[in-house]
Amino acid sequence: MGKWSKRNINELSIYYLAVFMLWVKTILVYVFGFHLKVHSFFEWLLLLINPIGIIALILGMAFFFSDHLKSKVILALHFVLSFILYGNLLYYRFFSDFITVPVLFQFQNVGGLSQSTLELMNWLDLLFLADVIILFVIIFRKNMIRKKITRREKQPILIVSILMIVLTISASFIHEKHLFQKPYDRELLVKSIGNFNYHLFDILLSSKMSVQSAIASSDEITEIKHYLDQKQKKLEPNKLQGIAKGKNIFVISLESLQEFVINREIDGKEMTPFLNQLIKESYYFPNFYHQTAQGKTSDAEFMIDNGLYPLSGGSVFVRRPQNEFYSLPHILSEKGYYSAVFHSNTGTFWNREVMYESLGYDRFFSDKDYDVTEENSVNYGLKDIPFVEQSIPYLQKLPKPFYAKMLTLTNHFPFILEEEDQVRASLDSNSNLVERYAATVSYTDEAMKIFFGKIKEAGLYEDSIFILYGDHYGVSKNYYKELSTFLETEITPAENVHLQKVPLIIHIPGQKGEFIPTTGGQTDIRRTILHLLGVEPKKELIDFGEDLFMKGRKELVVFRDGSFVTDQYIFTENLCFDKETDEQIETDYCQPYFDDVQKELYYSDSIIYGDLLRFLR
Ligand code: GP9
Ligand code: MN
């Protein structure tokens, strides 16, 4: 100890040590936190070098401070970069995605990760501070003779850092030519240019997007219309066209409900007995996928009302509420429909209060309209059973015909259920996340049973149709180990895509119903509803959906990160798989879809960023 304190300390070595430790930490997070998959030696090399330049440059900013501050600024910057890295890690653990600029702005609207955040942390995370503490101890040691960093030393360091960044970006670009054309493939970006460079690129991208609406013109929509006309032309009319003319519509968003729970038993007991029964009397779509991104529930809502894709970063609800939309409530109001949303969370969450007005809803029944107490609520709002019970009197008073959208909540991460609500499961503190999920799923199933019973009692059943859908996955990649044990199957990249299936149930009283195996997604729901109702919108329909009942469908479901699934193939992690066997096959099989996938995402983004629907006649 004594020996060490007498030593001279060269501030340059503090800098090198800081860069080195942050580099190692970043690589550890890449491998053990983000589970970034590399397929070749070149990709490994890229992964290893990509953080160095940017870390060296950012920490090198300390060189511009006065001598007595330099090492402290190195420490501060080191801490900030560690904080960003850790923030990303937590976000990734839940969303299997990387933070974008809009997500940061979204926090005030969604109340952060709150209760869920603690669940995502673990004690080992304290190691994140280890290098910060080491630096702190070294820098603040007393009685040391410091050798300052000279100008001759700092210049080459900064130049080399910049060259490293240029090298990283060029190498990434050479490796994947379309890298910057697919900014929504964030995994690929982080893998190639690195976590910190990705953030800078993302900042650039979101500033570019915000000017796009100012320069948009009506010509852009003509090209999009042409593409959509070609697509719709191939479809054959639906035999159910107009079958539900003039009926009320219930659209029920089932929080985090995945398809794998349907018709599944635990210890000989069905997880969702009510839904399993309902499916037998409904049109059921077992190959239906959620397509949500960072906007979660709000993304699903957005797709269902607009038939457009969600944004790659953030939620449209938060980012573009001022746009002009031609959404389901607008179209239905042309036929005299009244539209209302029922959701017991606060109205500001996902900016719903503002966005629902833009989307043309006449009324939003939020927490203010419900009696929400400690006992009858959990997590974000009312438990599903009191939620449906308290909604009935409001539903009875709605002007008819109506479109009622109801959003359930209890089956939400981290899946908390009090003992008295455990309808088909007994949980204790040892229950893992998947077991908790199973329990809240069963609770929501029970709530749906009560809901249908009450709707019948209220005399609202016969004149209504019911569309129930799972909004997105509930068990994220972070819990795949538990899920894999539960499902007794290995979760491969292809299996991960299968796991993005959510139930879609279309229940039309009086119709026998059937299993419809077509491959579809949430963007398809709007056209399906409009055809069932036989509604002809006054303005042209600009959306990317295809009626799920129609023959001749392309059966292409595009996910927001550019991966996709068709009736035969799966494209994910830049690899092509046979959907039937899950075997990896030549990319050539998936190639024919690439163009349409990029076009759909690009056109949808242009519509949203350019506010193009204002040009609709
Ligand atoms: C909360 C509900 C759930 O109101 O939308 O949140 P999400 O699934 O989007 O995290
Ligand atoms: Mn949700």
Side-chain angles (χ1 to χ4, degrees):
M1 282 276 282
K3 235 180 175 184
W4 165 249
S5 66
K6 274 181 226 149
R7 269 214 216 142
N8 287 347
I9 185 150
N10 183 346
E11 289 208 319
L12 201 55
S13 29
I14 296 184
Y15 166 80
Y16 284 136
L17 180 68
V19 172
F20 175 75
M21 291 194 298
L22 203 53
W23 171 63
V24 172
K25 192 152 78 173
T26 309
I27 299 296
L28 290 176
V29 171
Y30 281 177
V31 178
F32 300 108
F34 300 156
H35 305 291
L36 292 178
K37 291 201 187 64
V38 271
H39 303 290
S40 63
F41 174 72
F42 187 78
E43 288 186 4
W44 257 119
L45 202 65
L46 207 53
L47 196 76
L48 285 177
I49 62 158
N50 73 30
I52 302 175
I54 187 75
I55 293 175
L57 185 68
I58 293 178
L59 296 189
M61 293 297 114
F63 299 161
F64 296 98
F65 286 77
S66 60
D67 278 349
H68 72 284
L69 277 178
K70 272 194 185 82
S71 53
K72 291 173 189 122
V73 174
I74 292 178
L75 176 66
L77 291 170
H78 185 99
F79 180 75
V80 170
L81 291 184
S82 300
F83 184 78
I84 294 175
L85 197 60
Y86 187 56
N88 264 296
L89 179 64
L90 280 187
Y91 188 80
Y92 191 89
R93 280 184 186 158
F94 185 64
F95 294 101
S96 304
D97 193 359
F98 302 92
I99 295 178
T100 59
V101 175
V103 159
L104 298 176
F105 287 108
Q106 214 158 265
F107 261 52
Q108 81 200 72
N109 297 83
V110 299
L113 284 169
S114 58
Q115 199 167 356
S116 327
T117 316
L118 282 178
E119 173 75 35
L120 298 168
M121 296 177 161
N122 69 50
W123 290 108
L124 270 183
D125 293 355
L126 285 174
L127 284 179
F128 243 86
L129 284 177
D131 57 341
V132 182
I133 295 169
I134 294 175
L135 268 189
F136 184 90
V137 171
I138 295 175
I139 289 169
F140 285 95
R141 274 185 80 91
K142 299 225 167 69
N143 308 326
M144 279 206 287
I145 308 151
R146 292 162 187 273
K147 182 181 170 303
K148 305 289 173 215
I149 301 167
T150 63
R151 180 205 282 248
R152 277 189 45 201
E153 282 168 333
K154 87 179 176 196
Q155 256 176 7
I157 293 178
L158 295 178
I159 292 171
V160 171
S161 312
I162 293 171
L163 285 178
M164 284 290 284
I165 298 174
V166 174
L167 176 80
T168 305
I169 295 176
S170 322
S172 308
F173 183 70
I174 293 166
H175 184 54
E176 172 61 56
K177 276 199 300 298
H178 302 291
L179 184 65
F180 299 107
Q181 276 153 279
K182 300 193 290 187
Y184 41 78
D185 192 344
R186 287 186 277 272
E187 174 131 7
L188 186 65
L189 271 171
V190 171
K191 225 161 69 171
S192 315
I193 62 173
N195 189 48
F196 298 114
N197 286 320
Y198 149 74
H199 284 306
L200 293 178
F201 175 67
D202 181 52
I203 292 169
L204 255 172
L205 196 74
S206 45
S207 13
K208 185 184 144 228
M209 294 303 183
S210 49
V211 287
Q212 199 171 331
S213 88
I215 51 169
S217 80
S218 58
D219 298 343
E220 289 179 47
I221 211 156
T222 317
E223 185 188 331
I224 300 174
K225 268 186 200 165
H226 178 74
Y227 170 79
L228 293 174
D229 285 348
Q230 298 302 316
K231 186 170 165 176
Q232 294 296 327
K233 254 199 333 223
K234 296 189 184 123
L235 298 170
E236 290 163 32
N238 163 4
K239 64 177 191 313
L240 296 178
Q241 175 87 14
I243 195 151
K245 204 175 180 77
K247 299 235 175 179
N248 304 315
I249 317 151
F250 284 94
V251 169
I252 303 174
S253 159
L254 297 165
E255 180 57 45
S256 304
L257 199 78
Q258 297 186 225
E259 214 280 331
F260 74 79
V261 304
I262 298 297
N263 289 322
R264 183 173 294 272
E265 292 184 354
I266 303 181
D267 300 332
K269 280 191 249 168
E270 291 171 274
M271 288 174 77
T272 55
F274 175 73
L275 292 178
N276 296 349
Q277 184 54 38
L278 184 72
I279 282 166
K280 289 187 192 140
E281 303 150 18
S282 308
Y283 295 100
Y284 184 63
F285 298 84
N287 292 311
F288 181 80
Y289 296 79
H290 87 83
Q291 295 160 288
T292 64
Q294 291 176 328
K296 305 300 299 289
T297 313
S298 73
D299 278 351
E301 291 186 61
F302 179 72
M303 279 183 267
I304 281 138
D305 280 338
N306 300 284
L308 301 173
Y309 290 97
L311 289 176
S312 156
S315 158
V316 190
F317 270 42
V318 178
R319 296 185 67 186
R320 290 285 155 165
Q322 71 281 21
N323 274 15
E324 218 172 292
F325 293 104
Y326 187 47
S327 60
L328 202 50
H330 290 126
I331 301 169
L332 293 176
S333 77
E334 294 165 4
K335 304 287 169 218
Y337 271 79
Y338 184 90
S339 298
V341 188
F342 297 79
H343 184 51
S344 68
N345 194 359
T346 62
T348 49
F349 202 97
W350 285 130
N351 203 24
R352 284 190 171 104
E353 239 159 31
V354 178
M355 185 60 166
Y356 285 159
E357 206 162 319
S358 266
L359 292 177
Y361 283 97
D362 298 295
R363 178 78 157 88
F364 173 22
F365 295 89
S366 67
D367 63 338
K368 292 189 201 123
D369 300 277
Y370 292 94
D371 177 26
V372 187
T373 63
E374 274 280 301
E375 291 75 47
N376 70 7
S377 63
V378 65
N379 211 350
Y380 288 122
L382 277 182
K383 297 174 187 172
D384 292 343
I385 294 178
F387 165 64
V388 299
E389 285 170 347
Q390 290 189 33
S391 301
I392 297 290
Y394 291 128
L395 285 164
Q396 277 176 308
K397 285 190 211 110
L398 287 188
K400 293 191 186 66
F402 60 74
Y403 160 31
K405 175 161 78 175
M406 310 189 66
L407 308 163
T408 67
L409 256 184
T410 311
N411 187 37
H412 191 286
F413 183 85
F415 313 111
I416 311 159
L417 200 64
E418 277 149 36
E419 216 174 309
E420 74 257 25
D421 300 313
Q422 295 174 9
V423 278
R424 267 179 291 281
S426 38
L427 299 175
D428 55 44
S429 53
N430 293 327
S431 303
N432 69 28
L433 187 108
V434 176
E435 286 159 350
R436 273 163 25 217
Y437 176 69
T440 46
V441 162
S442 290
Y443 174 81
T444 300
D445 178 75
E446 184 69 15
M448 283 301 107
K449 179 176 162 191
I450 293 172
F451 172 72
F452 273 84
K454 297 228 174 259
I455 284 291
K456 283 180 183 165
E457 274 170 32
L460 286 169
Y461 176 73
E462 294 297 332
D463 279 334
S464 305
I465 64 167
F466 302 84
I467 290 113
L468 290 82
Y469 71 92
D471 64 347
H472 47 73
Y473 65 81
V475 182
S476 71
K477 278 190 184 162
N478 199 28
Y479 300 94
Y480 270 10
K481 229 183 177 160
E482 291 170 20
L483 187 60
S484 167
T485 315
F486 177 79
L487 297 175
E488 294 173 359
T489 181
E490 191 195 342
I491 305 183
T492 57
E495 181 59 29
N496 172 48
V497 173
H498 299 311
L499 283 171
Q500 305 315 308
K501 285 187 203 171
V502 290
L504 172 67
I505 305 168
I506 299 186
H507 182 72
I508 307 177
Q511 291 288 312
K512 255 177 67 209
E514 63 184 88
F515 261 58
I516 302 187
T518 187
T519 303
Q522 287 162 330
T523 47
D524 294 320
I525 291 187
R526 175 166 101 149
R527 282 197 189 246
T528 311
I529 295 180
L530 288 173
H531 286 169
L532 288 173
L533 298 181
V535 166
E536 271 301 322
K538 283 192 180 145
K539 295 185 198 173
E540 209 161 334
L541 269 195
I542 301 289
D543 76 23
F544 296 90
E546 288 176 338
D547 178 349
L548 290 162
F549 288 104
M550 281 185 168
K551 294 257 153 26
R553 302 183 68 248
K554 195 160 191 177
E555 303 204 37
L556 167 67
V557 178
V558 180
F559 301 112
R560 193 50 258 202
D561 63 357
S563 53
F564 59 85
V565 55
T566 76
D567 51 341
Q568 296 181 64
Y569 309 114
I570 292 172
F571 185 74
T572 186
E573 296 182 13
N574 269 308
L575 304 169
C576 189
F577 297 89
D578 181 304
K579 196 178 169 198
E580 192 71 32
T581 63
D582 283 1
E583 256 168 57
Q584 192 185 331
I585 49 175
E586 289 289 305
T587 313
D588 295 0
Y589 290 98
C590 290
Q591 181 88 34
Y593 296 93
F594 286 179
D595 200 35
D596 279 0
V597 170
Q598 281 217 23
K599 259 190 190 150
E600 298 229 344
L601 293 173
Y602 175 77
Y603 285 154
S604 182
D605 285 349
S606 312
I607 293 169
I608 299 167
Y609 287 125
D611 191 8
L612 295 185
L613 298 182
R614 69 195 143 124
F615 299 119
L616 279 188
R617 295 279 160 259

